[in-house]
Amino acid sequence: MSGGVDSAVAAARIAEAGHDVTGVHLALSANPQSHRTGARGCCTIEDSRDARRAADVIGIPFYIWDMAERFQRDVVEDFVAEYAAGRTPNPCLRCNEKIKFAAVLDRALALGFDAVATGHHAKLVDGVLSRSVDQAKDQSYVLGVLTREQLGHAMFPLGESTKAEVREEAARRGLTVADKPDSHDICFIADGDTRGFLAKRLGSAEGPIVDQSGEVVGSHQGAHGFTVGQRKGLRIDRPAPDGRPRYVLSIEPVSNTVTVGPRSALEVTTITCGAPVWNGPSRRDDLTVQLRAHGEVYPCRFEERAGGLTIELDRPATGVAAGQAAVLYSGATVIGSATIVSAS
């Protein structure tokens, strides 16, 4: 129970359905802030109190589990290391993989519980993951990394409801979080300044911004502050000859070089990925791939190769970044995922 409306309603629904439910709030920060900053951040003292009040209303036991050390190692340090290597990680996906459905699930099973239930907007049908009915809030992408075994011990009670319906139900149940803003951005960067967060941990090192010909067109204070497809925040001294915006095309951490170019140069149709996780049926009809959370989906084909996966898109995608997940769907059903290594 994060202290938000989704997990509160999820807990209320499964308790009402007759399950033996215990509410657990994860303390993921060694020094949590007292209050949230609007819709930014999570895991504050305020959030833990909201979660406890919701558990009291529902009438279930409530505990706080300290996962700060594990979260720091498996999510925060991984996030920093990925940016240092020139990749763009997804910390929400990593948290689901390493914390909620690994550390938490392992402890829950050891304590005699059968499953971990969360407020994610996604559906499980006979152990198979699929999209929520609320396409705008669907979170199946960040759950696509889970294994069949992990999904076998998961419950997502909100998959058949829209967010508006969840809020209305929370109000009817007397849950004070009914109107609480959703968290967004990266939960452990409460001020939203990802570049500043990385600079504190990786330092600053001036490097060149070059165009596709290798000509220096600007400078930066650290290649870790950029991601493929980025347009804003580029310190370019020499505008493009055609006056059009430039976008980050690639990041080379060893030479600390950022390459920029026109939007058209971002278009890719072939995506190379690491080892896949197959967690759904083997159907290949109506096959699509999603390359970012809440991103566009692309019709595709794929082929397994030694230790990895190659995905061919039926139409070009832009802004495909190494380190993100490629989640494959057959219709609305997740069939598997893999981490993007490169794209061309």
Side-chain angles (χ1 to χ4, degrees):
M1 300 182 71
S2 66
V5 64
D6 289 328
S7 57
V9 171
R13 286 185 178 184
I14 57 176
E16 189 174 70
H19 294 282
D20 183 7
V21 182
T22 295
V24 173
H25 178 79
L26 302 182
L28 301 179
S29 173
N31 298 291
Q33 295 183 354
S34 296
H35 302 283
R36 298 172 82 210
T37 306
R40 293 189 184 277
C42 72
C43 315
T44 63
I45 295 173
E46 174 190 356
D47 290 316
S48 66
R49 290 171 178 165
D50 285 343
R52 186 181 295 277
R53 280 192 289 266
D56 288 344
V57 171
I58 298 166
I60 59 175
F62 177 82
Y63 297 93
I64 296 177
W65 286 2
D66 184 357
M67 293 278 176
E69 185 176 340
R70 181 78 179 262
F71 183 80
Q72 176 69 27
R73 182 182 74 241
D74 289 347
V75 179
V76 179
E77 290 179 9
D78 174 81
F79 177 85
V80 174
E82 285 291 281
Y83 266 103
R87 296 185 288 267
T88 304
N90 186 311
C92 294
L93 187 150
R94 197 65 61 231
C95 183
N96 289 327
E97 177 190 21
K98 299 291 188 180
I99 305 299
K100 293 175 184 173
F101 293 95
V104 173
L105 179 58
D106 289 347
R107 183 183 294 186
L109 294 176
L111 290 171
F113 291 96
D114 300 310
V116 169
T118 71
H120 284 100
H121 283 262
K123 289 194 293 186
L124 269 177
V125 181
D126 297 326
V128 176
L129 181 65
S130 64
R131 293 193 185 278
S132 164
V133 298
D134 190 337
Q135 293 296 303
K137 292 294 182 180
D138 174 59
Q139 294 174 296
S140 59
Y141 173 88
V142 294
L143 297 166
V145 71
L146 302 184
T147 66
R148 286 189 178 98
E149 182 179 4
Q150 289 169 324
L151 290 172
H153 293 286
M155 297 175 70
F156 306 124
L158 305 187
E160 297 287 354
S161 301
T162 66
K163 187 59 180 258
E165 290 169 341
V166 170
R167 290 196 181 280
E168 290 170 3
E169 181 176 336
R172 290 197 306 272
R173 291 181 180 274
L175 297 168
T176 58
V177 292
D179 296 322
K180 186 174 180 177
D182 292 338
S183 296
H184 63 76
D185 296 328
I186 300 167
C187 70
F188 52 86
I189 307 179
D191 62 3
D193 183 9
T194 301
R195 183 176 291 184
F197 176 87
L198 292 168
K200 288 179 182 177
R201 286 152 181 81
L202 296 174
S204 297
E206 187 168 352
I209 298 176
V210 303
D211 63 17
Q212 290 169 285
S213 69
E215 185 175 355
V216 176
V217 296
S219 64
H220 62 79
Q221 294 301 311
H224 51 259
F226 299 87
T227 185
V228 171
Q230 181 176 332
R231 180 175 70 87
K232 296 182 178 180
L234 306 182
R235 293 172 52 187
I236 295 178
D237 302 322
R238 300 179 60 183
D242 60 7
R244 293 183 178 180
R246 282 172 164 148
Y247 297 79
V248 174
L249 304 181
S250 65
I251 301 156
E252 175 47 63
V254 175
S255 63
N256 198 27
T257 300
V258 175
T259 301
V260 298
R263 181 176 175 80
S264 59
L266 284 170
E267 294 184 348
V268 299
T269 55
T270 300
I271 300 170
T272 302
C273 301
V277 174
W278 299 117
N279 50 20
S282 58
R283 297 198 314 262
R284 295 198 181 190
D285 56 306
D286 193 19
L287 195 65
T288 59
V289 63
Q290 186 170 329
L291 305 170
R292 283 183 180 269
H294 305 296
E296 193 174 352
V297 297
Y298 299 86
C300 68
R301 293 154 282 120
F302 69 85
E303 181 179 353
E304 286 193 76
R305 52 179 177 76
L309 193 70
T310 299
I311 301 172
E312 298 288 344
L313 306 181
D314 289 355
R315 55 183 173 81
T318 59
V320 179
Q324 291 282 297
V327 178
L328 290 159
Y329 293 80
S330 178
T333 300
V334 174
I335 62 172
S337 70
T339 300
I340 298 169
V341 174
S342 62
S344 60

XYZ file of all heavy atoms in Angstrom, residues 66-105:
319
model
N 10.841 -2.275 5.848
C 11.995 -1.469 5.471
C 12.738 -2.162 4.325
O 13.390 -3.193 4.513
C 12.926 -1.288 6.665
C 14.115 -0.378 6.357
O 14.236 0.067 5.199
O 14.912 -0.119 7.270
N 12.634 -1.577 3.125
C 13.319 -2.109 1.943
C 14.307 -1.081 1.393
O 14.710 -1.155 0.226
C 12.300 -2.463 0.857
C 11.395 -3.618 1.204
S 12.210 -5.184 0.893
C 10.970 -6.342 1.508
N 14.687 -0.112 2.231
C 15.500 1.008 1.755
C 16.849 0.552 1.205
O 17.295 1.016 0.147
C 15.703 2.026 2.875
N 17.510 -0.347 1.915
C 18.837 -0.786 1.471
C 18.755 -1.545 0.149
O 19.551 -1.312 -0.765
C 19.475 -1.672 2.547
C 20.904 -2.076 2.233
C 21.538 -2.862 3.367
O 21.040 -2.770 4.508
O 22.527 -3.568 3.110
N 17.777 -2.434 0.031
C 17.599 -3.201 -1.206
C 17.209 -2.283 -2.353
O 17.694 -2.428 -3.487
C 16.527 -4.273 -0.979
C 16.236 -5.172 -2.157
C 17.269 -6.245 -2.346
N 16.936 -7.100 -3.480
C 16.325 -8.277 -3.373
N 15.991 -8.754 -2.174
N 16.066 -9.001 -4.445
N 16.338 -1.318 -2.098
C 15.903 -0.370 -3.131
C 17.081 0.474 -3.606
O 17.245 0.714 -4.802
C 14.794 0.520 -2.572
C 14.216 1.482 -3.563
C 13.269 1.069 -4.489
C 14.596 2.821 -3.568
C 12.720 1.958 -5.408
C 14.055 3.708 -4.473
C 13.116 3.283 -5.403
N 17.908 0.923 -2.671
C 19.080 1.725 -3.027
C 20.001 0.937 -3.953
O 20.475 1.456 -4.968
C 19.827 2.145 -1.762
C 21.121 2.910 -1.993
C 20.916 4.295 -2.568
O 19.864 4.907 -2.356
N 21.900 4.807 -3.285
N 20.235 -0.322 -3.614
C 21.163 -1.135 -4.398
C 20.586 -1.542 -5.758
O 21.235 -1.391 -6.797
C 21.537 -2.384 -3.603
C 22.546 -3.279 -4.315
C 22.849 -4.532 -3.530
N 21.758 -5.491 -3.572
C 21.095 -5.916 -2.498
N 21.408 -5.450 -1.300
N 20.117 -6.808 -2.609
N 19.358 -2.055 -5.754
C 18.810 -2.665 -6.960
C 18.111 -1.696 -7.893
O 17.935 -2.000 -9.079
C 17.813 -3.767 -6.576
C 18.498 -4.979 -5.978
O 19.737 -5.068 -6.077
O 17.803 -5.833 -5.400
N 17.701 -0.544 -7.378
C 16.975 0.408 -8.223
C 17.766 1.698 -8.411
O 18.066 2.083 -9.548
C 15.574 0.711 -7.648
C 14.838 1.725 -8.537
C 14.761 -0.574 -7.535
N 18.134 2.360 -7.323
C 18.797 3.657 -7.433
C 20.201 3.518 -8.025
O 20.562 4.214 -8.980
C 18.847 4.377 -6.072
C 19.562 5.723 -6.213
C 17.448 4.583 -5.518
N 21.003 2.611 -7.470
C 22.366 2.441 -7.980
C 22.358 1.895 -9.400
O 23.209 2.266 -10.224
C 23.161 1.537 -7.040
C 23.467 2.194 -5.697
C 24.238 1.288 -4.753
O 24.683 0.197 -5.201
O 24.404 1.651 -3.574
N 21.407 1.022 -9.706
C 21.263 0.532 -11.083
C 20.922 1.671 -12.033
O 21.455 1.754 -13.148
C 20.171 -0.542 -11.131
C 19.863 -1.003 -12.539
O 20.608 -1.851 -13.071
O 18.872 -0.510 -13.131
N 20.043 2.557 -11.603
C 19.642 3.726 -12.396
C 20.859 4.587 -12.731
O 21.078 4.966 -13.893
C 18.615 4.526 -11.586
C 18.134 5.798 -12.210
C 17.096 5.798 -13.122
C 18.700 7.023 -11.850
C 16.630 6.981 -13.681
C 18.247 8.204 -12.394
C 17.210 8.183 -13.320
N 21.675 4.879 -11.736
C 22.867 5.709 -11.942
C 23.871 5.003 -12.851
O 24.426 5.601 -13.783
C 23.515 6.062 -10.594
C 24.832 6.806 -10.802
C 22.560 6.911 -9.746
N 24.090 3.707 -12.627
C 25.054 2.952 -13.432
C 24.621 2.866 -14.890
O 25.469 2.947 -15.810
C 25.225 1.552 -12.857
N 23.328 2.729 -15.135
C 22.836 2.651 -16.506
C 23.061 3.964 -17.250
O 23.497 3.974 -18.406
C 21.346 2.286 -16.512
C 21.061 0.837 -16.195
C 21.530 -0.078 -17.316
O 20.829 -0.190 -18.330
O 22.619 -0.673 -17.168
N 22.768 5.087 -16.605
C 23.024 6.383 -17.240
C 24.519 6.585 -17.470
O 24.931 7.124 -18.501
C 22.452 7.523 -16.398
C 21.053 7.927 -16.819
C 19.941 7.535 -16.085
C 20.846 8.695 -17.963
C 18.659 7.894 -16.475
C 19.567 9.064 -18.359
C 18.482 8.659 -17.615
O 17.217 9.009 -18.005
N 25.343 6.157 -16.535
C 26.791 6.294 -16.691
C 27.291 5.497 -17.885
O 28.300 5.853 -18.515
C 27.500 5.828 -15.420
N 26.576 4.419 -18.233
C 26.958 3.578 -19.367
C 26.315 4.037 -20.673
O 26.468 3.368 -21.699
C 26.568 2.131 -19.083
N 25.599 5.152 -20.649
C 25.000 5.684 -21.871
C 23.643 5.098 -22.201
O 23.135 5.274 -23.306
N 23.035 4.412 -21.225
C 21.719 3.814 -21.455
C 20.646 4.578 -20.675
O 20.960 5.389 -19.808
C 21.738 2.339 -21.042
C 22.688 1.494 -21.884
C 22.593 0.012 -21.542
N 23.179 -0.287 -20.250
C 24.443 -0.665 -20.059
N 25.270 -0.769 -21.088
N 24.887 -0.944 -18.844
N 19.388 4.305 -20.990
C 18.263 4.983 -20.343
C 17.411 3.947 -19.627
O 16.635 3.235 -20.263
C 17.405 5.745 -21.372
O 18.232 6.652 -22.094
C 16.293 6.516 -20.681
N 17.536 3.818 -18.312
C 16.801 2.787 -17.573
C 15.366 3.195 -17.282
O 14.993 4.370 -17.406
C 17.600 2.678 -16.275
C 18.114 4.077 -16.062
C 18.410 4.609 -17.439
N 14.561 2.219 -16.874
C 13.209 2.481 -16.389
C 13.132 2.001 -14.945
O 12.995 0.804 -14.683
C 12.165 1.744 -17.239
C 10.740 2.111 -16.847
O 10.391 2.094 -15.680
N 9.928 2.447 -17.828
N 13.249 2.909 -13.972
C 13.313 2.485 -12.572
C 12.020 1.856 -12.061
O 12.064 1.020 -11.148
C 13.644 3.778 -11.823
C 13.210 4.874 -12.738
C 13.416 4.368 -14.127
N 10.856 2.231 -12.620
C 9.600 1.614 -12.177
C 9.581 0.136 -12.542
O 9.163 -0.714 -11.753
C 8.410 2.325 -12.818
S 8.197 4.030 -12.273
N 10.033 -0.182 -13.743
C 10.129 -1.568 -14.174
C 11.097 -2.341 -13.296
O 10.822 -3.461 -12.851
C 10.554 -1.600 -15.643
C 10.561 -2.928 -16.377
C 10.278 -2.685 -17.853
C 11.904 -3.618 -16.243
N 12.248 -1.724 -13.003
C 13.246 -2.392 -12.165
C 12.713 -2.609 -10.754
O 12.984 -3.639 -10.124
C 14.523 -1.548 -12.114
C 15.735 -2.292 -11.624
C 16.151 -3.416 -12.563
N 16.498 -2.903 -13.879
C 15.994 -3.391 -15.019
N 15.140 -4.394 -15.003
N 16.356 -2.892 -16.178
N 11.927 -1.678 -10.234
C 11.354 -1.817 -8.896
C 10.378 -2.984 -8.852
O 10.361 -3.761 -7.891
C 10.661 -0.521 -8.489
S 9.972 -0.529 -6.818
N 9.551 -3.118 -9.889
C 8.635 -4.258 -9.937
C 9.404 -5.568 -9.985
O 9.062 -6.543 -9.311
C 7.713 -4.150 -11.156
C 6.689 -3.052 -11.004
O 6.226 -2.768 -9.909
N 6.332 -2.414 -12.103
N 10.457 -5.594 -10.797
C 11.240 -6.810 -10.982
C 12.028 -7.188 -9.735
O 12.050 -8.361 -9.332
C 12.198 -6.616 -12.157
C 13.116 -7.791 -12.408
C 14.209 -7.468 -13.410
O 14.513 -6.272 -13.614
O 14.762 -8.414 -13.977
N 12.694 -6.216 -9.111
C 13.634 -6.506 -8.026
C 13.056 -6.326 -6.623
O 13.544 -6.953 -5.677
C 14.862 -5.592 -8.164
C 15.640 -5.773 -9.459
C 16.341 -7.110 -9.522
C 17.267 -7.193 -10.727
N 17.956 -8.508 -10.791
N 12.053 -5.468 -6.481
C 11.544 -5.169 -5.147
C 10.162 -5.801 -4.929
O 10.016 -6.751 -4.156
C 11.473 -3.645 -4.899
C 12.837 -2.987 -5.155
C 11.002 -3.372 -3.462
C 13.961 -3.472 -4.260
N 9.158 -5.326 -5.636
C 7.789 -5.758 -5.333
C 7.542 -7.226 -5.627
O 6.801 -7.896 -4.902
C 6.796 -4.881 -6.103
C 6.804 -3.429 -5.624
C 5.923 -2.547 -6.467
C 6.035 -1.088 -6.012
N 5.310 -0.166 -6.909
N 8.145 -7.740 -6.708
C 7.890 -9.135 -7.058
C 9.142 -10.004 -6.951
O 9.245 -11.041 -7.591
C 7.256 -9.211 -8.448
C 5.884 -8.613 -8.470
C 5.688 -7.294 -8.850
C 4.793 -9.357 -8.044
C 4.419 -6.732 -8.834
C 3.519 -8.802 -8.018
C 3.331 -7.488 -8.420
N 10.072 -9.549 -6.118
C 11.237 -10.365 -5.767
C 11.411 -10.285 -4.248
O 11.018 -11.189 -3.524
C 12.494 -9.900 -6.500
N 11.934 -9.174 -3.753
C 12.169 -9.045 -2.315
C 10.873 -9.155 -1.512
O 10.797 -9.901 -0.523
C 12.861 -7.712 -2.031
N 9.837 -8.416 -1.915
C 8.570 -8.444 -1.176
C 7.880 -9.793 -1.339
O 7.404 -10.390 -0.361
C 7.644 -7.300 -1.644
C 6.263 -7.429 -1.002
C 8.251 -5.947 -1.296
N 7.825 -10.293 -2.572
C 7.167 -11.575 -2.806
C 7.870 -12.704 -2.062
O 7.221 -13.566 -1.464
C 7.119 -11.869 -4.312
C 6.469 -13.193 -4.716
C 5.040 -13.289 -4.206
C 6.503 -13.376 -6.235
